């Protein structure tokens, strides 16, 4: 974070502009294009939660393609290792969902409404955390 550089970047030219805007030559702004006061607070946590979400999604695709291939060949029910893989994969969607939620919430900070209302302005001065009926 101090060097403002990725350790092991995977670079595919023009891919981010296509994924974001569905155009190969669109201009995608990075953090350096915004004032530092508008940056998310927890950039390392945001970075890792995003990569956990994407990594698990990639694993899901690979596991399901392999399971579908085994099912199509009629060998899924006899493939003990694949059944164990499917069973141990059950909690992974919950982890991916939580990582995706963290990515969305950390990535929009410090804004509640982008460009209009900052998170610090969204706190009510009249309501305390332990107000009766707030359970």
């Amino acid at each position: 974070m101090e060097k403002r550089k990725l350790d092991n970047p995977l670079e595919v030219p023009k891919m981010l502009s296509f994924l974001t805007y569905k155009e190969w030559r669109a201009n995608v702004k990075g953090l350096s294009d915004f004032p530092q006061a508008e940056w998310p607070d927890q950039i390392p946590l945001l970075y890792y939660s995003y990569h956990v979400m994407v990594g698990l999604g990639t694993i899901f695709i690979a596991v399901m393609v392999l399971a579908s291939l085994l099912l199509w060949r009629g060998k899924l029910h006899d493939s003990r290792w694949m059944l164990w893989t499917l069973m141990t994969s059950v909690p992974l969607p919950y982890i991916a969902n939580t990582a995706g939620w963290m990515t969305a919430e950390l990535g929009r900070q410090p804004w509640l409404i982008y460009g209009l209302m900052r998170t610090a302005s969204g706190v009510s001065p009249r309501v305390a955390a332990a107000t009766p009926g707030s359970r």
Side-chain angles (χ1 to χ4, degrees):
M1 183 67 195
E2 295 80 28
K3 296 178 186 178
R4 295 185 183 175
K5 186 178 180 207
L6 296 175
D7 290 336
N8 300 307
L10 175 64
E11 296 181 19
V12 179
K14 302 179 183 177
M15 183 56 76
L16 184 59
S17 63
F18 179 75
L19 290 173
T20 305
Y21 297 108
K22 295 190 179 22
E23 294 181 24
W24 291 104
R25 297 176 192 251
N27 183 24
V28 180
K29 293 182 179 180
L31 277 178
S32 59
D33 296 324
F34 295 92
Q36 195 163 355
E38 294 182 13
W39 286 12
D41 298 328
Q42 299 290 329
I43 293 173
L45 184 58
L46 172 62
Y47 175 84
Y48 289 113
S49 65
Y50 173 78
H51 283 82
V52 165
M53 175 189 69
V54 171
L56 286 174
T58 305
I59 290 171
F60 297 151
I61 292 169
V63 167
M64 294 314 295
V65 165
L66 191 54
S68 298
L69 182 64
L70 289 171
L71 182 63
W72 180 65
R73 290 185 171 181
K75 297 181 180 182
L76 178 63
H77 300 292
D78 298 327
S79 179
R80 187 173 173 89
W81 64 272
M82 189 64 200
L83 294 175
W84 272 101
T85 301
L86 289 169
M87 185 182 75
T88 56
S89 297
V90 168
L92 297 181
Y94 299 104
I95 297 169
N97 189 323
T98 302
W101 172 79
M102 288 174 65
T103 299
E105 294 302 316
L106 291 169
R108 73 178 175 93
Q109 294 298 318
W111 299 101
L112 281 179
I113 304 168
Y114 184 75
L116 295 176
M117 184 178 199
R118 295 179 70 85
T119 305
S121 303
V123 177
S124 175
R126 303 202 187 274
V127 179
T131 302
S134 63
R135 295 184 212 170

